Amino acid sequence: MWGRLGALLQQVVEPREAAQDLLQSFVQHWKGVTQYYLETTDESCPARNTEIPWRLRQLLDILVYEEIESGKGENLEDGTGSGPGDHTGPCMEYLLQHKILETLCTLAKAEYPPGMRQQVLVFFSRLLTKVQRPLLHYINVHRPVQKLIALGGDTVGVTAHREELQFLISICSKLEKDPSLLCHVLESENVKAAMSAAHGEEGAAGSSTLKPKQSLFKALLRLCLCQSQTGRLAVRAREALLGVLRAAQQEGPARLIAQSDLSQQVVQRLCELHHQIPLGTHPCDITATDGTDWRTEVGTEEYNALSPEASAIRRFLCWVEYCNCLLKESHEVISATMADSITEHYLQAILQEELLHVSELRILRSTALLSAMLQRLNPSPLTQRLVRFLLGEDRGPEKRSDNPPHLRAQLIQRCNHLSDEISLTTLRLFEDILQFPEEICMYSLVLRNLESRGYLSAGHEESRAQDGEAFESTDELEEDPYFTDGFPDTGLRSHGGHQDGGTGSTGTEQSVRSFLSLVPEEMKSSDSGFDTYLQDALVQPYEVNLQVTSLITRIALFPHPHIQEYLLNPYITLTPGARTLFSALVRVVADLAQRSQRLSNFREMLLLVRRQLTGETPAEPLGHETLCKGVVVLEEFCKELAAAACVTHQPLGI
């Protein structure tokens, strides 16, 4: 465009007259814009149908041509030799001195003629993009820019999301190249004091708490959640904000951003999206949502094709992923501020309140959301705060007399809740916590209580597990009344000791055989198979049993000698009052054996239930179905533990 104009001017005027003619042409076009408001009588005519868009394009073309002609030989990209007031042509001087941008901003606010705001946004975007000289340091540029940013989001006139986004992106592009310009875009009455605090200058006492007035981040974050037909608009807004934060890695700009309302706006939208998820949404619908990615272009049509619940869940989880990305990419000052804000205003004020609520629906929704968040987050300051929020910060061994954090204690108790749905959802949460790649998770829930090996009796010989070898065994099992009170002989007792001290194949074989022989032959429903898992086989449902066994198996396979010793070695001698997984299973099996003896056709029912669970036989109501399902799960869980004992005791490759 400027090339066509330049060629025309060169044909009409002499080179020495070009600058003056450019200014005259510039003034003429600007007067053409203002004249419209003096002469027009049709207030309903859209701006696009007037000559205003053409006049604005001519103004921009002249400014670009002037810069190119006057800036030949200069490095305009990095602003060399172009400080405030230097090397500006007469047209740019006219624009600055006559506050043309201020006037355009006023016309945009009035939205007259209709659609004028869109035209002004386009002009500002092109001005900041095509003019290479730094402009935002001029007060007659950054003040109207701030005002135009603040106009976004109101309901006056035609929706201009696309034009507004392009305008904001043009600003962000300048900030990415020069983050020091943030002090002009985020300027307030106290900006100088705020910048002094950022640089640690004397005389800035109390200024660190200043919140500079600005709306750049608010405007960007509003567009980040905007639904466009293609979905690209929201993604571009997120990328623009991320680019600014990624570029602001110096202390000054980073502290200025940290003092802005960015953190407040981020967490506000997180809370809004949380509340948009219907209260009655099933936990599985929350945790089963896949394919979420804040960079994915999802438009209105795609969201409309989803159910209201699925759409709300997807938006929330995408925003969680985006928040995590912001924290990972930002300067540590910004990241810490944002993490603090999310912890205080979302985790503690909203999520914790729901987790501790008496409403089953609120408990289920919040617990499932935690699982979904953990499944999608990578280590960052946000995930570290989330783990501490759930588990607390204590690292010492737990005692019965301790008062653990209320939330942690509640979650653990809910693993055995009156509501099976709450128990199941909470167990799944703990499985996600234990899978999370943060050392504190396994340590806080398990290892901190095994470090001292207080479960061993004083006479038990030291195991060589810390060297990665198998556990030493003893000739005696834990004293338990079920071993001497009519419990079926399952061959659990050790005969004659272990000649290799439990460090070779014999010790491994004994451990494996101990788990495989836990369930008496008359209670077994199969001879082979590794299809499922365990827990309380008497009163919780089949699904809960499976989840418990899955969780315990995951812990048992964790590569730590104390965990493997405590869960997988049946031959350790326990201190009085202590119990292991093996001793607990002995009690469960004994109770099951006593109950099964009361049923005349127990064996037949057990085999039928197994065939139903594996899909070989159509499901139909049966008597004592819960008991039979519990036995099947127990049997499979013992196989899982036997396999785990084999893997963890046997060196790889043997």
Side-chain angles (χ1 to χ4, degrees):
M1 289 182 292
W2 63 264
R4 295 194 303 270
L5 178 62
L8 179 62
L9 289 172
Q10 287 177 346
Q11 294 175 7
V12 176
V13 298
E14 293 294 328
R16 66 180 183 274
E17 301 172 348
Q20 185 64 28
D21 286 349
L22 276 178
L23 179 60
Q24 291 178 355
S25 180
F26 187 86
V27 173
Q28 177 185 1
H29 285 299
W30 175 240
K31 288 183 177 179
V33 173
T34 57
Q35 194 70 21
Y36 172 84
Y37 290 89
L38 299 176
E39 299 177 351
T40 186
T41 57
D42 184 2
E43 298 182 357
S44 64
C45 180
R48 65 176 181 273
N49 294 339
T50 69
E51 64 175 14
I52 291 178
W54 179 78
R55 295 285 188 185
L56 294 178
R57 284 196 299 270
Q58 300 308 308
L59 291 175
L60 181 64
D61 286 347
I62 292 173
L63 290 172
V64 172
Y65 177 80
E66 178 185 68
E67 179 185 58
I68 291 177
E69 288 300 307
S70 64
K72 287 180 179 178
E74 296 183 25
N75 190 344
L76 300 179
E77 184 66 27
D78 62 6
T80 302
S82 56
D86 297 331
H87 303 293
T88 55
C91 297
M92 180 62 73
E93 288 288 348
Y94 186 91
L95 178 137
L96 296 174
Q97 292 177 5
H98 289 78
K99 300 183 178 181
I100 289 179
L101 298 183
E102 288 276 2
T103 303
L104 287 174
C105 191
T106 301
L107 298 177
K109 182 177 181 180
E111 182 62 349
Y112 173 68
M116 186 60 186
R117 182 172 303 178
Q118 289 176 297
Q119 302 300 326
V120 174
L121 286 168
V122 170
F123 179 80
F124 271 67
S125 301
R126 291 175 176 171
L127 178 68
L128 294 174
T129 301
K130 295 188 175 184
V131 174
Q132 299 302 309
R133 293 186 186 278
L135 294 177
L136 286 173
H137 59 272
Y138 293 110
I139 189 171
N140 287 338
V141 175
H142 64 248
R143 282 287 171 84
V145 163
Q146 291 174 3
K147 292 178 181 179
L148 193 56
I149 292 173
L151 292 180
D154 61 22
T155 57
V156 176
V158 180
T159 300
H161 286 160
R162 190 176 303 277
E163 291 80 7
E164 182 186 3
L165 174 61
Q166 194 58 49
F167 166 61
L168 296 176
I169 288 177
S170 66
I171 298 173
C172 291
S173 178
K174 295 296 183 183
L175 297 179
E176 284 188 58
K177 294 177 181 178
D178 186 3
S180 66
L181 294 173
L182 277 163
C183 65
H184 301 296
V185 178
L186 308 183
E187 187 177 13
S188 70
E189 294 179 359
N190 297 318
V191 70
K192 292 183 179 179
M195 288 301 292
S196 297
H199 291 290
E201 298 176 5
E202 296 182 2
S207 62
S208 60
T209 59
L210 295 173
K211 301 291 184 181
K213 283 186 177 181
Q214 55 83 41
S215 55
L216 172 64
F217 298 135
K218 183 176 182 179
L220 279 172
L221 291 171
R222 174 174 48 78
L223 291 176
C224 285
L225 297 176
C226 176
Q227 295 185 50
S228 66
Q229 294 299 318
T230 63
R232 181 59 184 165
L233 187 148
V235 175
R236 292 183 67 196
R238 295 170 188 172
E239 291 172 340
L241 174 57
L242 183 60
V244 173
L245 298 188
R246 189 184 289 122
Q249 295 298 323
Q250 296 183 349
E251 189 79 5
R255 289 201 175 276
L256 191 61
I257 293 176
Q259 292 173 334
S260 72
D261 67 344
L262 174 62
S263 297
Q264 173 190 345
Q265 298 297 330
V266 167
V267 74
Q268 179 180 332
R269 278 147 184 80
L270 183 65
C271 297
E272 291 171 355
L273 292 171
H274 173 99
H275 290 303
Q276 288 176 13
I277 300 175
L279 195 58
T281 304
H282 195 279
C284 289
D285 293 335
I286 296 176
T287 55
T289 302
D290 56 3
T292 56
D293 184 353
W294 66 264
R295 297 178 180 86
T296 302
E297 301 177 20
V298 180
T300 305
E301 294 182 1
E302 288 85 347
Y303 273 112
N304 289 341
L306 300 173
S307 67
E309 293 84 358
S311 176
I313 294 168
R314 185 174 294 275
R315 290 184 186 281
F316 174 83
L317 294 178
C318 283
W319 193 251
V320 169
E321 293 176 2
Y322 181 61
C323 291
N324 194 59
C325 188
L326 289 178
L327 269 70
K328 290 179 66 175
E329 297 286 344
S330 301
H331 186 281
E332 59 183 6
V333 173
I334 303 173
S335 183
T337 302
M338 201 178 301
D340 287 340
S341 182
I342 292 175
T343 300
E344 178 183 357
H345 299 291
Y346 176 66
L347 296 182
Q348 295 176 351
I350 293 182
L351 207 54
Q352 180 170 274
E353 181 181 349
E354 282 201 3
L355 287 168
L356 299 178
H357 206 277
V358 296
S359 166
E360 180 173 354
L361 292 178
R362 292 186 182 277
I363 292 173
L364 289 173
R365 178 176 71 172
S366 55
T367 306
L369 283 176
L370 278 172
S371 288
M373 291 167 66
L374 287 170
Q375 292 169 9
R376 286 162 175 79
L377 297 182
N378 295 317
S380 74
L382 176 58
T383 58
Q384 295 165 8
R385 303 296 178 89
L386 180 58
V387 171
R388 290 201 296 267
F389 162 73
L390 291 172
L391 305 180
E393 301 189 41
D394 295 337
R395 298 182 67 90
E398 294 178 283
K399 301 178 181 178
R400 295 184 184 275
S401 58
D402 290 344
N403 291 319
H406 189 45
L407 179 58
R408 172 194 173 97
Q410 283 283 76
L411 290 174
I412 292 176
Q413 291 174 7
R414 283 180 185 156
C415 292
N416 187 24
H417 198 271
L418 291 175
S419 166
D420 295 331
E421 195 68 41
I422 288 179
S423 295
L424 189 61
T425 305
T426 307
L427 286 167
R428 288 170 178 160
L429 170 63
F430 276 107
E431 186 166 17
D432 289 321
I433 293 175
L434 291 173
Q435 291 184 76
F436 198 70
E438 287 281 354
E439 177 269 343
I440 188 61
C441 295
M442 182 65 75
Y443 186 87
S444 176
L445 289 173
V446 182
L447 289 176
R448 61 190 285 199
N449 298 314
L450 300 180
E451 276 188 327
S452 65
R453 303 175 77 193
Y455 47 88
L456 294 177
S457 66
H460 187 81
E461 295 182 358
E462 284 295 325
S463 169
R464 286 189 287 173
Q466 61 267 27
D467 295 327
E469 300 186 23
F471 310 118
E472 293 186 4
S473 58
T474 67
D475 293 342
E476 299 293 333
L477 290 172
E478 177 194 10
E479 286 299 323
D480 192 289
Y482 286 120
F483 281 106
T484 58
D485 190 21
F487 183 70
D489 183 8
T490 59
L492 291 176
R493 290 189 179 276
S494 172
H495 299 289
H498 305 297
Q499 296 178 358
D500 62 355
T503 61
S505 60
T506 303
T508 300
E509 181 181 350
Q510 289 294 334
S511 296
V512 173
R513 286 173 58 85
S514 296
F515 284 108
L516 288 178
S517 60
L518 257 177
V519 180
E521 291 297 327
E522 59 269 24
M523 293 176 59
K524 289 185 177 179
S525 61
S526 70
D527 295 327
S528 62
F530 282 80
D531 43 353
T532 36
Y533 318 94
L534 148 88
Q535 203 261 123
D536 187 291
L538 304 178
V539 297
Q540 288 182 334
Y542 177 68
E543 292 78 10
V544 176
N545 289 339
L546 293 182
Q547 189 61 47
V548 172
T549 59
S550 173
L551 182 60
I552 296 177
T553 304
R554 185 173 298 280
I555 297 174
L557 289 172
F558 188 79
H560 192 282
H562 293 170
I563 291 180
Q564 295 167 4
E565 174 185 66
Y566 180 71
L567 294 180
L568 299 178
N569 188 357
Y571 297 102
I572 57 176
T573 303
L574 298 177
T575 188
R579 68 171 56 177
T580 62
L581 174 60
F582 187 81
S583 66
L585 288 176
V586 167
R587 292 176 171 85
V588 173
V589 171
D591 200 355
L592 281 173
Q594 292 179 356
R595 291 171 181 266
S596 65
Q597 290 174 1
R598 304 170 191 169
L599 305 176
S600 59
N601 60 339
F602 174 73
R603 180 72 174 177
E604 292 76 10
M605 286 191 300
L606 186 62
L607 294 175
L608 180 58
V609 166
R610 170 173 279 278
R611 287 197 295 269
Q612 289 181 353
L613 292 176
T614 57
E616 299 175 16
T617 303
E620 60 182 50
L622 296 173
H624 307 285
E625 183 177 354
T626 300
L627 176 63
C628 293
K629 286 184 176 180
V631 173
V632 173
V633 173
L634 175 63
E635 182 183 354
E636 297 303 315
F637 182 46
C638 290
K639 295 176 185 178
E640 286 283 343
L641 294 177
C646 182
V647 171
T648 56
H649 291 187
Q650 185 92 342
L652 293 177
I654 296 179

